Amino acid sequence: MGKGAECLSNWYEKEITIDCMKFRSVAQYIVYKLAAIMGDEEIADEVLKCHDCTYYGTVVAAFSRYRELWEESREEIVLNALRQKFLQLKECKEQLIKSNEQEIIEACQLSRNCGCDSKNDGFMVNCLLKIKESILN
């Protein structure tokens, strides 16, 4: 992956604000929303306080039996998170614009286990490409 392309990953840690709340990464926001959709406010609050990314994987695994419910909501949540990330973080927006599809695919491999692409179904690649297209148009 090219230098700077790590900012395309959901794990890229740089504070962003989404829905008037601060998050350390897109991954943190996604896992927070996953817990909220599942109705577990206690875990959602823990995700907000947590600075250990491995905890996010634990949360995702705990909710894996609700995958169908998550899949109904995930595109809107992920696109919102990515849209905000690339609006707020200029260096990430610039990297996305100049990235090729292979770099985006590699960045998505780094984004695994954040509640959105555990089956490697191309979901995150498609979301990043949609955001890139919206930025370019």
Side-chain angles (χ1 to χ4, degrees):
M1 185 163 34
K3 184 174 169 54
E6 64 274 358
C7 74
L8 299 178
S9 169
N10 290 339
W11 296 104
Y12 183 70
E13 287 200 18
K14 192 129 187 204
E15 189 174 276
I16 53 175
T17 302
I18 307 172
D19 302 332
C20 300
M21 299 173 70
K22 294 189 184 304
F23 295 91
R24 294 171 53 90
S25 65
V26 166
Q28 184 185 36
Y29 173 77
I30 290 169
V31 176
Y32 166 80
K33 291 298 283 187
L34 172 63
I37 285 171
M38 301 310 160
D40 197 322
E41 292 180 31
E42 185 176 325
I43 290 181
D45 287 342
E46 284 297 316
V47 168
L48 288 176
K49 296 174 191 171
C50 182
H51 297 283
D52 178 8
C53 292
T54 58
Y55 177 69
Y56 305 156
T58 304
V59 171
V60 170
F63 290 123
S64 63
R65 65 184 178 270
Y66 301 108
R67 184 151 184 93
E68 187 174 307
L69 177 61
W70 170 242
E71 287 181 357
E72 292 173 11
S73 307
R74 72 181 184 165
E75 184 170 12
E76 180 181 341
I77 290 166
V78 171
L79 288 174
N80 182 44
L82 293 174
R83 189 174 301 109
Q84 292 306 312
K85 173 184 178 175
F86 293 111
L87 284 173
Q88 295 172 39
L89 304 178
K90 182 181 177 185
E91 72 277 12
C92 293
K93 179 180 178 180
E94 289 171 358
Q95 184 62 41
L96 180 62
I97 290 169
K98 70 180 184 179
S99 66
N100 62 43
E101 192 168 340
Q102 184 58 40
E103 288 175 314
I104 291 173
I105 290 168
E106 290 174 15
C108 289
Q109 293 301 312
L110 297 175
S111 299
R112 300 276 209 101
N113 300 321
C114 69
C116 53
D117 206 21
S118 62
K119 291 183 176 177
N120 195 22
D121 60 4
F123 174 75
M124 283 307 303
V125 173
N126 291 332
C127 287
L128 277 167
L129 291 173
K130 283 180 184 179
I131 295 299
K132 180 178 180 177
E133 184 179 323
S134 73
I135 290 170
L136 294 174
N137 293 326

